């Protein structure tokens, strides 16, 4: 005999798609993707972001066609991580025995794992909104004879639907203070460098390394690239930096605890002189806008922690 009133069926919520993370068969790189199509790829050598694609598949980072990805030298392109020294170190400094731009970009990092944001409760949610990949490097993983300090670095790469965030936590785990510099050496992909401008730095003085490190007053106008460019903007205002093409915004960069910005394009002759730079006219397809703290030194006392980062929005 059937019951007059059957209990209502318990509604089953649809399973929301989640970010996918994979490690390559040779354990050399980590790839993460969102259900909405965004994708990031990180090489464990240098913890270098070598690809960041939007949902439509468009690549946002420039990677040289001749970049070496086998761990034998730093990667030309993507987002190499510069630490603890920017540029060639001075012989009389504690970093004097390190290679140019330090050891972070040419050390193998450990993949520490992933975390993702909670799924949205909105009706048309397409799943988790972001995924964060964490990587670690410590003094036990490098040649400490060239920089004998105790440290622990945690580098986080966070992919969301519109943004890519990179942040670094520096911990002094020893009993001695030390100085460091830091830079996210971001190579941005552009369609035509002659149609590209950089704004947000108009009121910042800069050091022009193409003119023998000459100190130059603020330009008071957006930057256009028509020759070799190598500038270190010091104490840049904490407002977004905009990379635009043909007058339309392409990227927006915001910074946290990073007061300096490097803008670099090798142009023709410098590009020809780099064996790992390609294609030959690749300088027309890229611009480096690099958030960092490189004008002077950050002193980290024993037991202290420092954190800084950038958020890049693809527009």
């Amino acid at each position: 005999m059937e019951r007059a009133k059957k209990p209502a069926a318990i509604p089953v919520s649809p399973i929301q798609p989640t970010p996918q993370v994979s490690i390559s068969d040779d354990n050399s790189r980590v790839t993460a993707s969102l259900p909405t199509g965004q994708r990031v790829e990180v090489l464990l050598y240098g913890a270098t972001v070598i690809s960041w694609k939007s949902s439509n598949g468009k690549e946002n980072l420039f990677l040289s066609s001749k970049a070496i990805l086998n761990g034998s030298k730093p990667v030309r392109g993507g987002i190499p991580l510069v630490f603890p020294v920017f540029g060639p170190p001075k012989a009389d400094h504690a970093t004097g025995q390190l290679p140019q731009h330090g050891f972070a970009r040419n050390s193998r990092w450990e993949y520490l794992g992933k975390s993702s944001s909670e799924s949205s409760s909105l009706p048309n949610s397409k799943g988790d909104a972001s995924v964060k990949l964490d990587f670690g490097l410590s003094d036990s993983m490098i040649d400490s004879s060239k920089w004998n300090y105790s440290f622990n670095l945690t580098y986080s790469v966070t992919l969301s639907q519109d943004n890519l965030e990179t942040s670094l936590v520096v911990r002094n785990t020893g009993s001695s203070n030390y100085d460091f510099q830091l830079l996210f050496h971001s190579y941005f992909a552009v369609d035509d460098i002659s149609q590209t401008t950089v704004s947000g730095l108009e009121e910042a003085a800069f050091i022009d390394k193409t003119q023998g490190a000459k100190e130059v007053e603020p330009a008071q106008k957006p930057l256009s690239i028509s020759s070799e460019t190598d500038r270190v903007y010091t104490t840049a205002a904490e407002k977004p930096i905009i990379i635009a093409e043909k007058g339309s915004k392409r990227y927006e960069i915001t910074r946290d605890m990073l007061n300096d910005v490097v803008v670099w394009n090798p142009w023709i002759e410098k590009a020809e002189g780099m064996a790992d730079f390609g294609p030959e006219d690749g300088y027309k397809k890229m611009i480096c806008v690099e958030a960092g703290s490189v004008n002077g030194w950050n002193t980290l006392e024993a037991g202290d922690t420092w954190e800084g980062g950038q958020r890049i929005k693809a527009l």
Side-chain angles (χ1 to χ4, degrees), residues 34-140:
L34 298 182
T36 43
Q38 295 83 354
R39 182 177 181 275
V40 67
E41 187 173 359
V42 184
L43 195 69
L44 288 179
Y45 182 75
T48 308
V49 180
I50 57 174
S51 176
W52 167 37
K53 292 183 178 180
S54 297
S55 59
N56 60 4
K58 188 167 187 176
E59 179 61 65
N60 297 309
L61 300 176
F62 172 85
L63 181 68
S64 167
S65 61
K66 298 180 181 179
I68 307 299
L69 303 178
N70 63 8
S72 61
K73 66 176 298 182
V75 177
R76 178 72 65 187
I79 308 180
L81 179 59
V82 173
F83 177 93
V85 61
F86 169 65
K90 295 183 179 179
D92 60 351
H93 192 265
T95 58
Q97 297 185 56
L98 294 176
Q100 175 167 302
H101 291 335
F103 55 74
R105 67 180 187 149
N106 52 13
S107 296
R108 182 180 170 88
W109 291 58
E110 178 185 3
Y111 173 52
L112 302 177
K114 71 173 180 73
S115 58
S116 56
S117 65
E118 294 183 358
S119 297
S120 171
S121 60
L122 296 176
N124 295 320
S125 168
K126 295 183 179 180
D128 287 346
S130 67
V131 59
K132 179 164 74 76
L133 307 175
D134 290 326
F135 304 87
L137 184 71
S138 64
D139 52 277
S140 64

Side-chain angles (χ1 to χ4, degrees), residues 17 27 84 95 105 123 125 146 165 181 183 189 198 217 232 248 250 264 266 285 290 303-304:
N27 198 33
T95 58
R105 67 180 187 149
S125 168
K146 295 183 178 180
E165 297 180 30
Q181 296 172 323
L183 185 80
V198 179
E217 293 299 310
V232 181
S248 298
R250 176 77 184 273
W264 180 73
K285 301 293 185 179
E290 313 162 30
D304 279 359

Side-chain angles (χ1 to χ4, degrees), residues 187-204:
Y187 288 70
F188 291 96
V190 297
D191 294 328
D192 183 354
I193 190 63
S194 69
Q195 301 292 322
T196 301
T197 59
V198 179
S199 59
L201 299 168
E202 293 86 344
E203 299 176 2

